[in-house]
Amino acid sequence: MDVGWTSAAVAVIGAVVAVASLVVTVVEGVRARRHTKFLAHHDHWWQRWSWIAERALSDDDTEQDAAAFMAHAVLTRSWSTPDDKWMDRALDDHEVWASNRRRKETHHDR
């Protein structure tokens, strides 16, 4: 093989490797950014719903009102997710269950 062709082949292979390396770096960067964004969203999600759940399960009516207000605010945001809706339903289900339990206890005590 001619030295010119060998040099050209090495240059082409080097360029292909460089482009492949760039593509891998970009793909990994996008993946890492997506993962970091997910973790940040999950952390904020947990903080919001922990705050809401604490107040929703409180015996204080003012705390329960604050939880209802915050849950409504979260659910009406554009970034609300199916997990937010699930958590709201879970709290509603708990409230129905607790109300039925209190009703049964009150009825049973009579």
Side-chain angles (χ1 to χ4, degrees):
M1 195 188 267
D2 186 299
V3 173
W5 282 106
T6 304
S7 296
V10 169
V12 169
I13 291 171
V16 168
V17 169
V19 169
S21 180
L22 176 65
V23 168
V24 168
T25 301
V26 169
V27 168
E28 276 300 303
V30 168
R31 187 197 62 75
R33 183 173 179 182
R34 192 176 313 132
H35 184 67
T36 300
K37 186 177 177 182
F38 168 79
L39 290 176
H41 173 77
H42 179 71
D43 185 47
H44 290 146
W45 181 90
W46 184 253
Q47 289 174 9
R48 281 191 299 273
W49 283 105
S50 294
W51 188 94
I52 292 168
E54 254 180 54
R55 280 146 188 86
L57 301 176
S58 169
D59 292 330
D60 183 346
D61 289 342
T62 304
E63 293 282 307
Q64 291 175 0
D65 290 345
F69 177 79
M70 186 65 166
H72 176 75
V74 167
L75 292 169
T76 57
R77 299 299 102 197
S78 63
W79 41 258
S80 180
T81 67
D83 287 339
D84 292 313
K85 292 170 183 65
W86 179 88
M87 191 65 171
D88 187 54
R89 280 192 308 276
L91 286 171
D92 286 345
D93 291 347
H94 178 273
E95 181 55 36
V96 168
W97 175 81
S99 178
N100 287 339
R101 188 188 75 220
R102 286 190 299 269
R103 192 175 320 117
K104 285 179 184 176
E105 288 172 356
T106 304
H107 185 274
H108 190 277
D109 290 342
R110 289 183 186 173

